Amino acid sequence: MAEEDDIAIHRSQAWIKTFVLGMGLCPFAKPAWDTGRIYYQLCMEDAPDKIIEAMLHLWEKILNHSQEEIETAILILPTALADFEAYLDMLEILNELLEEAELAGVLQIASFHPDYQFEGILPHAAENFTNRSPYPMFHILREVSVSAAVRRHPNVEQVPERNIQKMEQIGTKKIKALLKGIWDNPEGVLSAQ
């Protein structure tokens, strides 16, 4: 794996460690992280058909491994879909393919992007940062894992509102500084306890 590939994965992991785990944005992520059951796949292609091909291979990989081997997977796109609208178009295509492959209800896709913007929310609102990652990403989850996690969590419907409040408390200035730190020194983030 090239050094550029390593840095893209390390930035993604540093973002997960800082935001998803460190800020508790996803109350279900820690077990998969702690046991090394998150699979990271890079797609250095930017042609839509190549991105789709990479996603299909990733679905196959997940389904051919047990949950004890791969709990969840992330497709990282360092060179593609920089435009958020193009990213959303691809997300729609991938969700349609999931339906066509009869995998809806087996797998689901969560979306993360450097310019993520929730519908009806201003671009610079702090709450958008709950889904702003260093690169465009598609996070593949096993539906059975999501269902089990939801059953175990006492107030899952309150998670989005709590995350919005957390982002607003931290503020966009500090959030942007954290993202810059991840970009500039992901190894430092990953090695910090």
Side-chain angles (χ1 to χ4, degrees), residues 55-65:
M55 181 61 86
L56 294 175
H57 285 293
L58 187 55
W59 293 349
E60 185 177 1
K61 183 161 192 83
I62 293 168
L63 295 172
N64 286 331
H65 287 79

Side-chain angles (χ1 to χ4, degrees), residues 94-130:
L94 294 173
N95 276 318
E96 287 171 4
L97 287 172
L98 205 60
E99 289 280 345
E100 289 172 17
E102 298 182 356
L103 290 174
V106 178
L107 301 175
Q108 64 176 256
I109 305 170
S111 54
F112 301 96
H113 190 278
D115 295 323
Y116 203 97
Q117 182 179 346
F118 289 103
E119 189 174 347
I121 302 300
L122 293 172
H124 300 294
E127 65 192 83
N128 291 317
F129 286 92
T130 62

